[in-house]
Amino acid sequence: MNISTDFPVYYKELEAKFSFSLRERDHFENRVNTAIYKTRSKRDNSFLPFDDSFEMVDLFVIPYLIALKMTDGHKYEDFISNEDGTDFIDFLSVNRTFSNIKRTKDINELKNEAEEFYKSIFAEDNSYKKHISEVLSLVSNFSNYEDKDTKE
């Protein structure tokens, strides 16, 4: 997987999904770029064994959660508490970037892959959830953004 080429396409797809304004796009891209930069520099300066699975989390989950937190705090909480990942699974199953990385266009196969990916985030035998929390805490200090559902 080449995150440098896949990543910008994916966050443009997220911007379209969440119907971000130009200002929201700028904010989103700044937060995502900060998250990925901090994650990569942390990874480069440590001896932790990161593999393609962590690249998948960085590419798909982190930007999605940043966008979700900007638009719907309740759905964000449902996702990170493993209560509802339906929207994420549905989005990935029709997402061009996910399809290219998984090398299939079959919607049912992509949906199964997306469901397994979502479930893997919360599996006890990996540290994806911890990684996600650490990355999101890095960007939470970057700037605050008012959720759309709290705007007047």
Side-chain angles (χ1 to χ4, degrees):
M1 169 173 38
N2 185 350
I3 197 166
S4 61
T5 58
D6 295 325
F7 180 71
V9 172
Y10 180 70
Y11 69 64
K12 295 296 181 199
E13 293 166 331
L14 281 170
E15 290 168 356
K17 174 195 177 8
F18 288 103
S19 303
F20 284 160
S21 68
L22 186 57
R23 183 171 182 238
E24 290 167 326
R25 286 180 189 163
D26 288 342
H27 185 77
F28 170 72
E29 289 174 17
N30 285 335
R31 291 188 85 181
V32 171
N33 288 332
T34 299
I36 297 304
Y37 172 78
K38 288 183 176 186
T39 301
R40 291 212 165 239
S41 59
K42 181 180 177 184
R43 196 176 298 167
D44 292 343
N45 294 324
S46 74
F47 296 104
L48 295 175
F50 284 94
D51 57 18
D52 281 348
S53 301
F54 279 90
E55 293 279 345
M56 292 287 288
V57 169
D58 289 345
L59 175 62
F60 291 105
V61 180
I62 301 298
Y64 178 84
L65 285 175
I66 289 171
L68 192 59
K69 182 152 183 143
M70 288 174 60
T71 57
D72 190 332
H74 299 293
K75 283 187 179 179
Y76 171 83
E77 291 298 326
D78 287 346
F79 182 102
I80 62 170
S81 62
N82 194 18
E83 290 180 24
D84 187 9
T86 307
D87 186 64
F88 177 71
I89 292 165
D90 291 344
F91 178 65
L92 284 187
S93 66
V94 296
N95 181 266
R96 185 178 47 187
T97 303
F98 190 71
S99 173
N100 289 342
I101 288 173
K102 291 300 180 177
R103 300 173 198 251
T104 183
K105 302 261 187 240
D106 181 87
I107 301 277
N108 291 327
E109 189 176 332
L110 287 168
K111 187 160 188 145
N112 289 337
E113 291 274 348
E115 285 175 3
E116 289 303 313
F117 182 44
Y118 176 75
K119 289 177 189 175
S120 75
I121 294 166
F122 303 98
E124 295 287 326
D125 62 346
N126 66 49
S127 54
Y128 298 154
K129 190 170 179 187
K130 180 181 178 199
H131 174 70
I132 291 167
S133 295
E134 288 173 356
V135 173
L136 292 177
S137 71
L138 290 172
V139 293
S140 68
N141 297 329
F142 175 61
S143 66
N144 291 324
Y145 193 84
E146 183 179 83
D147 289 342
K148 284 184 178 180
D149 62 352
T150 62
K151 291 180 184 176
E152 294 180 20

